[in-house]
Amino acid sequence: MFLEKLKKYYREIITVIFVLAAMAVLVVFDFAEIKFCADETLNNLLCEIVPRVCAGIALTAVTVIMGFKSIVLPSFKNILKDLFWCIPCIFVVIANFPFTAIFSGNATINRTDLIWLFALKCLSIGLMEEMLFRGLFQGVIQEKFEGQKYDKLKTVAVTSAVFGCIHLLNLFSGANVGATFLQVGYSFLIGAMLSAVLLKTKNIWLCVILHALFDFGGFIVTDLGSGKFQDGWFWGFTAFFGVVCFAYILYFLLKTPKTDQTTANND
């Protein structure tokens, strides 16, 4: 018993150290004017990638330390079945790409030479945020609700609400109020989708990839190009596939058999 308590104590200490280290790196890069190079676009990408990769690695370690190793090192034997289940989610991600705006010329990608680095930025964001919200936070919340009626629905609702509301912090950096609340809304919905993906597949890397692809489509014009990319077709496809996916996820959360309502994050 004593050894178990000591092990838990050291695990908590290590967790705090890793989380504080991740926060410290993010704060330093957020407030310090770090210059990697004279190219402004390239420098901005590097300043976003470096701290998020560091924080993502730290949070991955924390997720494992906290006992959720199985979602970080999942079995891929059912990957094709998992991808098939994720098809409605994949369509939501694809709908976020500015295809029509680019094809029509309303938006352009000016820095095609940096697309690979921009993709790495999106992957780093996906890694950091998924390990924090789906890997760590959702794992803890799911354990709290385990065994209760509609435990999966409650887990997704709480996790997604926190994920959405955390974007209110953008107001402190001068973001537009209307745009911020819109971001809170769709972040809640995307968060719910990703939470459900983790509950179903028990594979956090699918969440990371879907998150990264969603950001890739949503920010490629603002980061590497110019023009208006959210045209009528964009909102039409987004609304259609969003409603379909919402119904699909809600059905999964409400109709999952009682015997299957076990903790997806258990080691």
Side-chain angles (χ1 to χ4, degrees), residues 37-76:
C37 59
D39 186 323
E40 184 178 356
T41 303
L42 175 58
N43 188 73
N44 289 339
L45 288 174
L46 291 174
C47 285
E48 293 191 66
I49 291 170
V50 173
R52 284 168 175 78
V53 168
C54 294
I57 293 173
L59 291 169
T60 301
V62 170
T63 301
V64 173
I65 292 171
M66 290 296 291
F68 308 130
K69 181 180 177 181
S70 62
I71 63 171
V72 177
L73 298 173
S75 170
F76 287 90

Side-chain angles (χ1 to χ4, degrees), residues 94-152:
I94 293 174
N96 203 44
F97 279 65
F99 294 117
T100 56
I102 291 176
F103 290 151
S104 66
N106 291 328
T108 58
I109 307 300
N110 303 321
R111 296 298 303 272
T112 55
D113 59 313
L114 294 179
I115 287 180
W116 68 274
L117 194 61
F118 171 71
L120 182 58
K121 169 198 166 179
C122 295
L123 191 60
S124 68
I125 294 173
L127 174 66
M128 182 187 75
E129 295 190 0
E130 291 310 305
M131 285 301 170
L132 176 59
F133 290 101
R134 252 62 64 180
L136 188 58
F137 185 68
Q138 179 168 317
V140 174
I141 295 299
Q142 190 175 352
E143 288 183 341
K144 298 296 183 182
F145 290 129
E146 185 180 7
Q148 298 182 18
K149 187 176 182 181
Y150 301 126
D151 55 350
K152 289 180 182 284

